[in-house]
Coordinates of all heavy atoms in Angstrom, one line a residue:
M1 N 0.9 -1.1 -0.1 CA 0.0 -0.1 0.0 C 0.8 1.3 0.0 O 1.9 1.4 0.8 CB -0.8 -0.1 1.3 CG -1.9 1.1 1.3 SD -2.8 0.8 2.8 CE -4.2 1.9 2.4
S2 N 0.6 2.3 -0.8 CA 1.4 3.5 -0.9 C 1.1 4.3 0.3 O 0.0 4.3 1.0 CB 1.2 4.1 -2.1 OG -0.2 4.7 -2.3
E3 N 2.1 5.3 0.6 CA 1.9 6.1 1.7 C 1.0 7.2 1.3 O 0.9 7.8 0.2 CB 3.3 6.7 1.9 CG 3.4 7.8 3.0 CD 4.7 8.3 3.2 OE1 5.7 7.6 2.8 OE2 4.9 9.5 3.6
L4 N 0.1 7.4 2.3 CA -0.9 8.7 2.2 C -0.3 9.9 2.7 O 0.4 10.1 3.8 CB -2.1 8.4 2.9 CG -2.9 7.0 2.4 CD1 -4.1 7.0 3.3 CD2 -3.3 7.3 1.1
N5 N -0.5 10.9 2.0 CA 0.0 12.3 2.3 C -1.4 13.2 2.8 O -2.4 12.9 2.3 CB 0.6 13.0 1.2 CG 2.0 12.5 0.6 OD1 2.7 12.1 1.6 ND2 2.1 12.0 -0.6
K6 N -1.2 14.1 3.6 CA -2.2 14.9 4.2 C -1.8 16.3 4.1 O -0.6 16.8 4.4 CB -2.6 14.6 5.7 CG -3.7 15.3 6.1 CD -4.0 14.9 7.5 CE -5.3 15.6 8.1 NZ -5.6 15.3 9.4
V7 N -2.9 17.2 3.6 CA -2.5 18.6 3.4 C -3.8 19.3 3.7 O -4.9 18.8 3.4 CB -2.0 18.8 2.0 CG1 -2.9 18.5 0.9 CG2 -1.4 20.3 1.9
T8 N -3.7 20.4 4.3 CA -4.9 21.3 4.4 C -5.0 22.3 3.3 O -4.0 23.0 3.0 CB -4.8 22.0 5.8 OG1 -4.8 21.0 6.8 CG2 -6.2 22.9 6.0
V9 N -6.2 22.3 2.6 CA -6.3 23.2 1.5 C -7.3 24.3 1.8 O -8.2 24.1 2.6 CB -6.6 22.5 0.2 CG1 -5.5 21.6 -0.1 CG2 -7.9 21.7 0.2
N10 N -7.2 25.4 1.1 CA -8.1 26.5 1.2 C -9.0 26.5 0.0 O -8.4 26.9 -1.0 CB -7.6 27.8 1.6 CG -8.6 28.8 2.1 OD1 -9.5 29.2 1.2 ND2 -8.5 29.3 3.3
I11 N -10.3 26.3 0.0 CA -11.1 26.5 -1.2 C -12.4 27.4 -0.7 O -13.0 27.2 0.0 CB -11.7 25.1 -1.8 CG1 -10.5 24.3 -2.0 CG2 -12.6 25.3 -2.8 CD1 -10.9 22.8 -2.3
N12 N -12.3 28.5 -1.4 CA -13.4 29.5 -1.3 C -13.5 30.0 0.1 O -14.7 30.2 0.7 CB -14.8 29.0 -1.9 CG -15.8 30.1 -2.1 OD1 -15.5 31.2 -2.7 ND2 -17.0 29.8 -1.9
G13 N -12.3 30.2 0.6 CA -12.3 30.7 2.1 C -12.6 29.7 3.2 O -12.5 30.1 4.3
S14 N -12.7 28.4 2.8 CA -12.7 27.4 3.8 C -11.7 26.4 3.9 O -11.2 26.1 2.6 CB -14.1 26.6 3.7 OG -15.3 27.5 3.9
E15 N -11.3 25.9 4.9 CA -10.2 25.0 4.9 C -10.7 23.5 5.0 O -11.8 23.3 5.7 CB -9.3 25.1 6.2 CG -8.4 26.3 6.0 CD -7.4 26.6 7.2 OE1 -7.5 25.8 8.1 OE2 -6.5 27.3 7.0
Y16 N -10.0 22.6 4.1 CA -10.5 21.3 4.0 C -9.2 20.5 4.2 O -8.2 20.7 3.5 CB -11.2 21.0 2.7 CG -12.4 21.8 2.5 CD1 -12.3 23.0 1.7 CD2 -13.6 21.4 3.0 CE1 -13.4 23.7 1.5 CE2 -14.7 22.0 2.7 CZ -14.5 23.3 2.0 OH -15.7 24.0 1.9
P17 N -9.3 19.3 4.9 CA -8.1 18.4 4.8 C -8.2 17.5 3.6 O -9.3 17.1 3.2 CB -8.3 17.5 6.2 CG -9.8 17.6 6.4 CD -10.4 19.0 5.8
M18 N -7.0 17.3 2.9 CA -7.0 16.4 1.8 C -6.0 15.3 2.3 O -5.0 15.5 2.7 CB -6.6 17.1 0.6 CG -7.7 17.9 -0.2 SD -6.9 18.7 -1.7 CE -6.8 17.2 -2.8
V19 N -6.4 14.0 1.9 CA -5.5 12.9 2.2 C -5.6 12.0 0.8 O -6.6 11.7 0.3 CB -6.1 12.0 3.4 CG1 -5.2 10.8 3.6 CG2 -6.2 12.9 4.6
G20 N -4.4 11.7 0.5 CA -4.3 10.8 -0.6 C -2.9 10.4 -1.1 O -2.0 10.8 -0.4
P21 N -2.6 9.5 -1.9 CA -1.3 8.9 -2.2 C -0.5 9.9 -3.1 O 0.7 9.6 -3.4 CB -1.7 7.6 -3.1 CG -3.1 8.0 -3.7 CD -3.7 8.7 -2.7
K22 N -1.1 10.9 -3.7 CA -0.4 11.9 -4.5 C 0.5 12.8 -3.7 O 0.2 13.0 -2.5 CB -1.5 12.7 -5.4 CG -2.2 11.9 -6.2 CD -1.5 11.5 -7.4 CE -2.4 10.8 -8.5 NZ -1.8 10.3 -9.6
P23 N 1.6 13.3 -4.3 CA 2.4 14.2 -3.6 C 1.5 15.4 -3.1 O 0.6 15.9 -3.6 CB 3.3 14.7 -4.5 CG 3.4 13.6 -5.7 CD 2.0 13.1 -5.6
E24 N 2.1 16.1 -1.9 CA 1.3 17.3 -1.4 C 1.1 18.4 -2.3 O 0.1 19.1 -2.5 CB 2.0 17.7 -0.2 CG 1.9 16.9 1.1 CD 2.6 17.3 2.3 OE1 2.8 18.6 2.2 OE2 3.0 16.7 3.1
E25 N 2.2 18.6 -3.2 CA 2.2 19.8 -4.2 C 1.1 19.4 -5.2 O 0.4 20.4 -5.7 CB 3.6 19.8 -4.8 CG 3.7 21.2 -5.7 CD 3.5 22.4 -4.7 OE1 3.9 22.5 -3.6 OE2 2.7 23.2 -5.2
Y26 N 0.9 18.2 -5.5 CA -0.1 17.9 -6.5 C -1.5 18.1 -5.9 O -2.4 18.7 -6.6 CB 0.1 16.4 -7.0 CG -1.1 15.9 -7.9 CD1 -0.9 16.1 -9.2 CD2 -2.2 15.5 -7.5 CE1 -1.8 15.8 -10.2 CE2 -3.1 14.9 -8.3 CZ -3.1 15.1 -9.7 OH -4.0 14.8 -10.5
M27 N -1.6 17.8 -4.8 CA -3.0 17.9 -4.1 C -3.3 19.4 -3.9 O -4.4 19.9 -4.2 CB -3.0 17.3 -2.8 CG -3.1 15.7 -2.8 SD -3.4 14.9 -1.4 CE -2.0 15.1 -0.3
L28 N -2.3 20.2 -3.5 CA -2.4 21.7 -3.6 C -2.8 22.3 -4.9 O -3.5 23.2 -4.9 CB -1.1 22.3 -3.0 CG -0.9 22.1 -1.5 CD1 0.6 22.6 -1.2 CD2 -1.9 22.9 -0.6
K29 N -2.2 21.7 -5.9 CA -2.4 22.3 -7.2 C -3.9 21.9 -7.7 O -4.5 22.8 -8.2 CB -1.5 21.6 -8.2 CG -1.7 21.9 -9.8 CD -0.7 21.2 -10.5 CE -0.9 21.5 -12.0 NZ 0.2 20.8 -12.8
V30 N -4.3 20.8 -7.3 CA -5.8 20.4 -7.6 C -6.8 21.4 -6.8 O -7.6 21.9 -7.4 CB -6.0 19.0 -7.3 CG1 -7.6 18.7 -7.3 CG2 -5.4 18.0 -8.2
A31 N -6.5 21.5 -5.5 CA -7.3 22.3 -4.7 C -7.2 23.9 -5.3 O -8.3 24.5 -5.3 CB -6.7 22.4 -3.3
R32 N -6.2 24.4 -5.6 CA -6.1 25.8 -6.3 C -6.9 25.8 -7.5 O -7.6 26.8 -7.8 CB -4.7 26.1 -6.6 CG -3.9 26.7 -5.5 CD -2.4 27.2 -5.8 NE -1.5 26.4 -6.6 CZ -0.7 25.6 -6.0 NH1 -0.5 25.6 -4.6 NH2 0.0 24.8 -6.7
Y33 N -6.9 24.8 -8.3 CA -7.8 24.7 -9.6 C -9.2 24.9 -9.1 O -10.1 25.8 -9.8 CB -7.4 23.6 -10.3 CG -8.2 23.6 -11.6 CD1 -7.9 24.3 -12.7 CD2 -9.3 22.8 -11.9 CE1 -8.5 24.3 -13.9 CE2 -10.1 22.7 -13.0 CZ -9.7 23.6 -14.1 OH -10.5 23.6 -15.3
V34 N -9.6 24.1 -8.3 CA -11.0 24.1 -7.8 C -11.4 25.5 -7.2 O -12.5 25.9 -7.5 CB -11.5 23.0 -6.8 CG1 -12.7 23.1 -6.2 CG2 -11.2 21.6 -7.4
D35 N -10.5 26.1 -6.4 CA -10.7 27.3 -5.7 C -10.9 28.3 -7.0 O -11.8 29.2 -7.0 CB -9.6 27.7 -5.0 CG -9.9 29.0 -4.2 OD1 -10.9 29.2 -3.6 OD2 -9.0 29.9 -4.4
Q36 N -10.0 28.4 -7.9 CA -10.1 29.4 -9.0 C -11.4 29.2 -9.8 O -12.1 30.3 -10.2 CB -8.9 29.1 -10.0 CG -7.6 29.5 -9.5 CD -6.4 29.2 -10.3 OE1 -6.6 28.4 -11.3 NE2 -5.2 29.6 -9.9
E37 N -11.9 28.0 -10.1 CA -13.0 27.7 -10.8 C -14.2 28.3 -10.0 O -15.2 28.9 -10.6 CB -13.2 26.2 -11.1 CG -12.3 25.7 -12.0 CD -12.4 26.5 -13.4 OE1 -13.5 26.5 -14.0 OE2 -11.5 27.0 -14.0
I38 N -14.4 28.0 -8.6 CA -15.5 28.5 -7.8 C -15.4 30.1 -7.8 O -16.4 30.7 -7.9 CB -15.4 27.9 -6.4 CG1 -15.7 26.4 -6.5 CG2 -16.4 28.6 -5.5 CD1 -15.5 25.7 -5.2
R39 N -14.2 30.6 -7.6 CA -14.0 32.2 -7.6 C -14.5 32.6 -8.9 O -15.1 33.8 -8.9 CB -12.8 32.5 -7.2 CG -12.4 32.2 -5.8 CD -11.2 32.6 -5.4 NE -10.9 32.1 -4.0 CZ -11.3 32.8 -2.7 NH1 -12.0 33.9 -2.9 NH2 -11.0 32.3 -1.7
K40 N -14.3 32.0 -10.0 CA -14.8 32.6 -11.4 C -16.2 32.6 -11.4 O -16.8 33.6 -11.8 CB -14.2 31.7 -12.6 CG -12.9 31.9 -13.0 CD -12.7 31.1 -14.3 CE -11.5 30.3 -14.4 NZ -11.4 29.5 -15.4
I41 N -16.9 31.7 -10.9 CA -18.4 31.5 -10.8 C -18.9 32.6 -9.9 O -19.9 33.3 -10.3 CB -18.8 30.1 -10.4 CG1 -18.5 29.0 -11.5 CG2 -20.3 30.0 -10.2 CD1 -19.2 29.0 -12.8
T42 N -18.4 32.7 -8.6 CA -18.9 33.7 -7.8 C -18.5 35.1 -8.2 O -19.3 36.0 -7.9 CB -18.3 33.4 -6.3 OG1 -16.8 33.4 -6.4 CG2 -18.9 32.2 -5.7
T43 N -17.5 35.4 -8.9 CA -17.3 36.8 -9.4 C -18.3 37.1 -10.4 O -18.8 38.2 -10.4 CB -15.9 36.8 -9.9 OG1 -15.0 36.5 -8.9 CG2 -15.5 38.3 -10.6
A44 N -18.6 36.1 -11.3 CA -19.5 36.4 -12.4 C -20.9 36.5 -11.9 O -21.8 37.2 -12.4 CB -19.4 35.3 -13.4
N45 N -21.2 35.8 -10.7 CA -22.5 35.7 -10.3 C -22.6 35.8 -8.7 O -22.7 34.8 -8.0 CB -23.1 34.4 -10.6 CG -23.2 34.0 -12.0 OD1 -24.0 34.5 -12.9 ND2 -22.4 33.1 -12.5
P46 N -22.3 37.0 -8.3 CA -22.1 37.2 -6.8 C -23.3 36.9 -5.9 O -23.2 36.7 -4.6 CB -21.7 38.6 -6.6 CG -22.0 39.3 -7.8 CD -22.2 38.3 -9.0
K47 N -24.5 36.7 -6.4 CA -25.6 36.4 -5.6 C -25.8 34.9 -5.4 O -26.8 34.6 -4.6 CB -26.8 37.0 -6.2 CG -27.0 38.5 -6.1 CD -28.2 39.1 -6.6 CE -28.1 40.6 -6.5 NZ -29.3 41.2 -7.1
L48 N -25.1 34.1 -6.0 CA -25.2 32.6 -5.9 C -24.8 32.2 -4.5 O -23.7 32.7 -4.0 CB -24.4 31.9 -7.0 CG -24.8 31.8 -8.4 CD1 -23.7 31.1 -9.3 CD2 -26.0 31.0 -8.5
S49 N -25.3 31.3 -4.0 CA -24.9 30.6 -2.7 C -23.7 29.8 -3.1 O -23.3 29.5 -4.2 CB -25.9 29.6 -2.3 OG -26.2 28.6 -3.1
T50 N -22.9 29.5 -2.0 CA -21.7 28.7 -2.0 C -22.1 27.3 -2.7 O -21.2 26.8 -3.5 CB -21.0 28.5 -0.7 OG1 -20.8 29.8 -0.2 CG2 -19.8 27.7 -0.7
S51 N -23.1 26.8 -2.2 CA -23.6 25.5 -2.8 C -23.8 25.6 -4.3 O -23.2 24.7 -5.0 CB -24.9 25.0 -2.0 OG -25.4 24.0 -2.7
S52 N -24.5 26.5 -4.8 CA -24.8 26.6 -6.1 C -23.6 26.9 -6.9 O -23.3 26.3 -8.1 CB -25.8 27.8 -6.4 OG -27.0 27.5 -5.9
A53 N -22.6 27.7 -6.5 CA -21.3 28.2 -7.1 C -20.5 26.8 -7.2 O -19.9 26.5 -8.2 CB -20.6 29.1 -6.4
S54 N -20.7 26.0 -6.1 CA -19.7 24.7 -6.1 C -20.3 23.6 -7.3 O -19.5 23.1 -7.8 CB -19.8 24.1 -4.7 OG -19.2 25.0 -3.8
I55 N -21.6 23.6 -7.2 CA -22.3 22.7 -8.1 C -21.9 23.1 -9.5 O -21.4 22.3 -10.4 CB -23.7 22.5 -7.9 CG1 -24.0 21.7 -6.6 CG2 -24.4 21.8 -9.2 CD1 -25.4 21.8 -6.1
L56 N -22.0 24.4 -9.8 CA -21.8 24.9 -11.2 C -20.3 24.6 -11.5 O -20.0 24.3 -12.7 CB -22.1 26.4 -11.4 CG -23.7 26.7 -11.4 CD1 -23.9 28.2 -11.3 CD2 -24.3 26.1 -12.5
S57 N -19.4 24.8 -10.7 CA -18.0 24.7 -10.8 C -17.8 23.2 -11.2 O -17.0 22.9 -12.0 CB -17.2 25.1 -9.6 OG -17.3 26.4 -9.5
A58 N -18.5 22.3 -10.4 CA -18.2 20.8 -10.5 C -18.7 20.4 -12.0 O -18.1 19.6 -12.6 CB -18.9 20.1 -9.5
I59 N -19.7 21.0 -12.4 CA -20.3 20.8 -13.8 C -19.3 21.1 -14.8 O -19.0 20.5 -15.8 CB -21.6 21.4 -13.9 CG1 -22.7 20.7 -13.1 CG2 -22.1 21.3 -15.5 CD1 -24.1 21.5 -13.1
N60 N -18.8 22.4 -14.6 CA -17.7 23.0 -15.6 C -16.4 22.0 -15.6 O -15.9 21.7 -16.7 CB -17.4 24.3 -15.2 CG -18.4 25.3 -15.5 OD1 -19.4 25.1 -16.3 ND2 -18.3 26.6 -15.0
I61 N -16.0 21.6 -14.5 CA -14.8 20.7 -14.3 C -15.0 19.3 -15.0 O -14.2 18.8 -15.7 CB -14.3 20.6 -12.8 CG1 -13.8 22.0 -12.4 CG2 -13.3 19.5 -12.8 CD1 -13.5 22.1 -10.8
A62 N -16.3 18.8 -14.7 CA -16.8 17.6 -15.3 C -16.7 17.7 -16.8 O -16.3 16.8 -17.5 CB -18.0 17.1 -14.7
N63 N -17.2 18.7 -17.3 CA -17.4 18.9 -18.7 C -15.9 18.9 -19.4 O -15.8 18.4 -20.5 CB -18.0 20.4 -19.0 CG -18.0 20.7 -20.5 OD1 -18.7 19.9 -21.3 ND2 -17.5 21.8 -21.0
I64 N -15.0 19.7 -18.7 CA -13.7 19.8 -19.2 C -13.1 18.2 -19.2 O -12.3 17.9 -20.1 CB -12.7 20.6 -18.2 CG1 -13.1 22.0 -18.6 CG2 -11.3 20.5 -18.6 CD1 -12.6 23.1 -17.5
F65 N -13.4 17.5 -18.2 CA -12.8 16.1 -18.0 C -13.4 15.4 -19.1 O -12.6 14.5 -19.9 CB -13.3 15.6 -16.6 CG -13.1 14.1 -16.5 CD1 -11.8 13.6 -16.3 CD2 -14.0 13.2 -16.6 CE1 -11.5 12.1 -16.2 CE2 -13.9 11.8 -16.5 CZ -12.6 11.4 -16.2
F66 N -14.6 15.4 -19.5 CA -15.2 14.6 -20.6 C -14.6 14.9 -21.8 O -14.5 14.1 -22.8 CB -16.8 14.7 -20.5 CG -17.4 13.8 -19.5 CD1 -17.9 14.3 -18.3 CD2 -17.4 12.4 -19.7 CE1 -18.5 13.5 -17.4 CE2 -18.0 11.6 -18.6 CZ -18.6 12.1 -17.5
E67 N -14.4 16.3 -22.0 CA -13.9 16.7 -23.4 C -12.4 16.1 -23.4 O -12.1 15.7 -24.6 CB -13.9 18.3 -23.5 CG -15.2 18.9 -23.6 CD -15.1 20.4 -23.5 OE1 -14.1 21.1 -23.2 OE2 -16.2 21.1 -23.9
C68 N -11.7 16.1 -22.4 CA -10.3 15.6 -22.4 C -10.4 14.1 -22.9 O -9.7 13.5 -23.5 CB -9.5 15.9 -21.2 SG -9.1 17.6 -21.0
C69 N -11.3 13.3 -22.1 CA -11.5 12.0 -22.4 C -11.9 11.6 -23.8 O -11.2 10.7 -24.4 CB -12.6 11.3 -21.4 SG -12.0 11.2 -19.7
D70 N -12.8 12.4 -24.4 CA -13.1 12.3 -25.7 C -12.0 12.5 -26.7 O -11.7 11.8 -27.6 CB -14.3 13.2 -26.1 CG -15.6 12.9 -25.5 OD1 -15.7 11.7 -25.0 OD2 -16.5 13.7 -25.5
E71 N -11.2 13.6 -26.5 CA -10.1 13.9 -27.2 C -9.0 12.8 -27.2 O -8.4 12.5 -28.1 CB -9.4 15.2 -26.8 CG -8.3 15.8 -27.6 CD -7.8 17.1 -27.3 OE1 -8.5 17.9 -26.7 OE2 -6.7 17.4 -27.6
N72 N -8.9 12.3 -25.9 CA -7.9 11.2 -25.7 C -8.3 10.0 -26.7 O -7.5 9.3 -27.2 CB -7.6 10.8 -24.2 CG -6.7 9.8 -24.0 OD1 -5.5 10.0 -24.3 ND2 -7.1 8.7 -23.5
D73 N -9.6 9.5 -26.4 CA -10.1 8.5 -27.4 C -9.9 8.8 -28.8 O -9.5 7.7 -29.5 CB -11.6 8.3 -27.1 CG -11.9 7.8 -25.6 OD1 -11.0 7.2 -25.0 OD2 -13.1 7.9 -25.2
D74 N -10.2 9.9 -29.2 CA -9.9 10.3 -30.7 C -8.5 10.1 -31.1 O -8.1 9.4 -32.1 CB -10.3 11.5 -31.1 CG -11.9 11.9 -30.9 OD1 -12.6 10.9 -30.8 OD2 -12.3 13.0 -30.9
L75 N -7.5 10.5 -30.3 CA -6.1 10.3 -30.5 C -5.7 8.9 -30.4 O -5.0 8.4 -31.3 CB -5.3 11.0 -29.4 CG -5.4 12.6 -29.7 CD1 -4.7 13.3 -28.3 CD2 -4.7 13.1 -30.9
L76 N -6.3 8.0 -29.5 CA -5.9 6.7 -29.5 C -6.4 6.0 -30.8 O -5.7 5.1 -31.3 CB -6.7 6.0 -28.3 CG -6.0 6.3 -26.9 CD1 -6.8 5.7 -25.8 CD2 -4.6 5.6 -26.9
K77 N -7.6 6.3 -31.2 CA -8.2 5.7 -32.5 C -7.3 6.1 -33.6 O -7.0 5.2 -34.6 CB -9.6 6.2 -32.7 CG -10.6 5.5 -31.7 CD -11.9 6.0 -31.9 CE -12.9 5.5 -31.0 NZ -14.2 6.1 -30.9
E78 N -6.7 7.4 -33.7 CA -5.9 7.7 -34.8 C -4.6 6.9 -34.9 O -3.9 6.7 -35.8 CB -5.6 9.3 -34.6 CG -6.5 10.2 -35.0 CD -6.3 11.7 -34.9 OE1 -4.9 12.0 -34.9 OE2 -7.1 12.5 -34.8
N79 N -4.1 6.5 -33.6 CA -2.8 5.9 -33.5 C -2.9 4.3 -33.8 O -2.0 3.8 -33.9 CB -2.2 6.2 -32.2 CG -1.6 7.4 -32.1 OD1 -1.0 8.1 -33.0 ND2 -1.6 7.9 -30.9
E80 N -4.2 3.9 -33.8 CA -4.3 2.4 -34.3 C -4.1 2.0 -35.6 O -4.2 2.7 -36.5 CB -5.8 2.0 -33.7 CG -5.9 2.0 -32.2 CD -7.3 1.6 -31.8 OE1 -8.3 1.5 -32.6 OE2 -7.6 1.5 -30.6

C-alpha cells in the first residue's frame, strides 16, 4: 500500500483536509484549480450561494474532464 499524504487546503475561504497517495504539491495544485473555478463563478454571479457556485464549478470541471477523455479516445483511435 502506498503512503498517504495529508495537506490542508483552502477553497473559497474554507479549509479542508485532503488525504491521498499523490504528493502534497499535486493535491495543492488540484485544490487551487477548484478554488479558481469557484471564484470565477462567484465573481460572475455574486448572488449565488456557495452550494450553487460549487455545483456549477463541478459541472464545468466535469465538462472539461469529458472533453479531455473524448479527445484522448480520438487520439488513441488515430494511432491504431
Side-chain angles (χ1 to χ4, degrees):
M1 181 177 203
S2 63
E3 181 181 327
L4 295 179
N5 293 308
K6 183 176 181 179
V7 64
T8 300
V9 299
N10 189 301
I11 298 174
N12 199 36
S14 296
E15 290 190 346
Y16 300 93
M18 281 182 73
V19 178
K22 299 286 186 181
E24 288 181 22
E25 195 54 45
Y26 178 85
M27 292 191 290
L28 290 168
K29 181 179 175 180
V30 169
R32 277 192 299 270
Y33 181 79
V34 171
D35 183 57
Q36 289 171 355
E37 289 301 307
I38 292 174
R39 289 182 188 278
K40 277 192 230 175
I41 296 289
T42 56
T43 298
N45 305 286
K47 292 183 181 181
L48 283 178
S49 68
T50 300
S51 169
S52 293
S54 298
I55 291 169
L56 289 171
S57 297
I59 290 169
N60 288 344
I61 292 168
N63 180 58
I64 292 167
F65 171 76
F66 281 108
E67 286 175 350
C68 288
C69 288
D70 289 344
E71 186 175 335
N72 187 58
D73 289 343
D74 292 343
L75 290 170
L76 287 172
K77 287 176 187 171
E78 283 179 25
N79 286 326
E80 289 178 351

